[in-house]
Amino acid sequence: MTMRKKIVAGNWKMNTTVSEGKQLLQDIIKLLGGTSEPADEVIICPPFTHLYAFKPFLSDTKNIYLGAQNVHTEDSGAYTGEISAIMLKDIGVDYVIIGHSERRQYFKEDDILLRQKVEQALKHGLKVIFCVGETEDEYERNHSEHVVKRQVISALFTLEPDQFQNIIIAYEPVWAIGTGKTATPDYAQKMHSFIRGLVKQRYGEKIAEGTTILYGGSIKPSNAGALFQQPDVDGGLVGGASLDAQSFVEIVKQIS
Ligand code: PEP
């Protein structure tokens, strides 16, 4: 019997206008019947421009939350173009994605910066979806565990146990993101179990068993079920398929 939460999060990336996004959100809520079930939580992560406008749509829903896709390391100040954790918290955002491979790759975010972002988010009461995962090259050279271990330890393992309980880890092999190549359920299970083992070494069995570890990388209605059945896969972080209400909700419904 595990007590960890089963969660499906949708990462919309840089897609949809606010009006398109409102429509998509309303379609998702309607198809879900206003509740996250059978998942414990559903998290919608639209662009920054949408977050404030989306909050009222969630007032009558159950366990459907909002997440941002990025956050800055400082509270406020001369950081043109950035958004702070205080601002996100102020408008009722609950989660923030940190460490996504697109931010690591295109915006050169490194382990040290990501640790600062994690600390800043937690300091202001945001929960964190922290993404880790190896590139195709690292995968082919059999470095997956080594890379993921470095990413997890450097950004998360300085946290106190009570802080760590506000972290969701998303394992996203970079070679599977937006490529249509999904990790096999067995491979996902092996990596998730490895990550949970790292958490256990650092924080002990109870916290490790309570940590939600999501899989991400080309999840679709046709492959979600087999992934979610793996004992250490506690849900998914969905990119492309989260932009289609029907597909996204079909994925949520496959949480077991
Ligand atoms: C993601 O960006 O987190 C992701 C998993 O994308 P996709 O589902 O499109 O591979």
Side-chain angles (χ1 to χ4, degrees):
M1 227 345 235
T2 54
M3 3 154 271
R4 55 183 175 265
K5 286 183 175 168
K6 304 277 186 172
I7 295 176
V8 178
N11 173 15
W12 291 10
K13 311 192 184 187
M14 195 173 73
N15 292 295
T16 73
T17 62
V18 172
S19 59
E20 289 164 351
K22 279 185 185 169
Q23 189 60 54
L24 175 57
L25 178 70
Q26 284 175 287
D27 291 346
I28 290 170
I29 292 171
K30 194 166 165 212
L31 288 169
L32 283 173
T35 142
S36 65
E37 283 166 24
D40 294 304
E41 295 186 13
V42 163
I43 307 167
I44 306 290
C45 306
F48 281 131
T49 46
H50 300 36
L51 291 165
Y52 186 65
F54 277 16
K55 196 65 190 172
F57 292 98
L58 300 179
S59 58
D60 288 331
T61 62
K62 197 163 155 245
N63 299 326
I64 304 177
Y65 297 96
L66 281 179
Q69 298 173 18
N70 187 22
V71 68
H72 192 253
T73 54
E74 299 297 325
D75 287 356
S76 63
Y79 301 100
T80 302
E82 293 293 321
I83 302 284
S84 75
I86 294 175
M87 296 170 183
L88 294 173
K89 193 66 193 170
D90 176 55
I91 59 165
V93 171
D94 299 288
Y95 282 94
V96 60
I97 298 173
I98 297 178
H100 193 280
S101 65
E102 287 151 20
R103 297 222 52 97
R104 292 179 192 261
Q105 189 185 343
Y106 305 141
F107 303 97
K108 307 285 175 259
E109 296 194 358
D110 62 17
D111 292 331
I112 294 165
L113 178 81
L114 295 173
R115 169 164 51 198
Q116 292 168 346
K117 289 191 173 195
V118 168
E119 284 171 358
Q120 180 69 3
L122 295 177
K123 178 176 142 196
H124 293 292
L126 294 169
K127 293 181 201 168
V128 172
I129 301 173
F130 189 76
C131 305
V132 298
E134 77 281 7
T135 63
E136 181 150 39
D137 181 55
E138 290 160 344
Y139 173 69
E140 277 167 5
R141 291 192 297 162
N142 256 321
H143 288 177
S144 305
E145 291 190 351
H146 175 80
V147 168
V148 165
K149 183 175 179 180
R150 190 207 75 223
Q151 291 171 334
V152 168
I153 289 179
S154 59
L156 302 178
F157 282 7
T158 52
L159 297 173
E160 297 299 326
D162 62 322
Q163 292 179 299
F164 188 81
Q165 298 186 64
N166 293 308
I167 303 286
I168 294 170
I169 296 174
Y171 170 62
E172 302 203 303
V174 180
W175 48 270
I177 297 180
T179 57
K181 290 188 211 167
T182 320
T184 62
D186 283 350
Y187 181 73
Q189 168 56 27
K190 174 176 149 293
M191 291 302 293
H192 282 230
S193 162
F194 172 72
I195 293 167
R196 198 176 307 285
L198 296 172
V199 176
K200 188 174 163 187
Q201 278 172 29
R202 169 66 181 86
Y203 293 104
E205 171 107 36
K206 188 157 175 269
I207 289 182
E209 286 301 317
T211 300
T212 296
I213 307 179
L214 307 180
Y215 169 79
S218 298
I219 299 186
K220 303 182 281 269
S222 59
N223 59 28
L227 288 159
F228 295 167
Q229 269 165 30
Q230 301 304 311
D232 287 292
V233 176
D234 308 314
L237 178 54
V238 185
S242 74
L243 293 169
D244 180 81
Q246 193 96 38
S247 298
F248 183 66
V249 171
E250 273 180 51
I251 291 168
V252 174
K253 298 284 185 199
Q254 292 187 57
I255 283 284
S256 45

